[in-house]
Amino acid sequence: MPNFQAHVFVSLRPSVLDPAGEAAKAAAKRLGIKGLSKLRIGKSVDIEIEATNLEDAKSQIELLSDRLLANPVIENWVMDINSKDQDSENKTLNK
């Protein structure tokens, strides 16, 4: 069965406050970082999955992202997926 590798990046929706990002931004300014106007924090998830084809793998990871990795009320997610066996298949999905 083919193996697929996906990267899911989960971020807060732009309208949602990001206290961790604001704290990191304030700390960066205390470190002397200049010109920093925006800093928002998200999470990155690397996944490897066996599936019959790319569409099946994509469907499984969409379900995982919608139901487990992201809170759809306050977060968006983006997925990059490709075949570990054939680098030519590469898809990006924004949600």
Side-chain angles (χ1 to χ4, degrees), residues 49-87:
I49 186 169
E50 288 183 354
T52 55
N53 56 45
L54 179 62
E55 293 306 314
D56 183 40
K58 191 171 92 174
S59 174
Q60 295 293 315
I61 294 172
E62 284 179 31
L63 179 64
L64 179 67
S65 299
D66 278 337
R67 301 266 178 95
L68 182 67
L69 300 178
N71 177 344
V73 175
I74 62 169
E75 295 174 316
N76 294 322
W77 59 268
V78 177
M79 170 177 58
D80 285 318
I81 185 168
N82 59 50
S83 171
K84 285 185 73 175
D85 304 324
Q86 300 172 354
D87 289 337

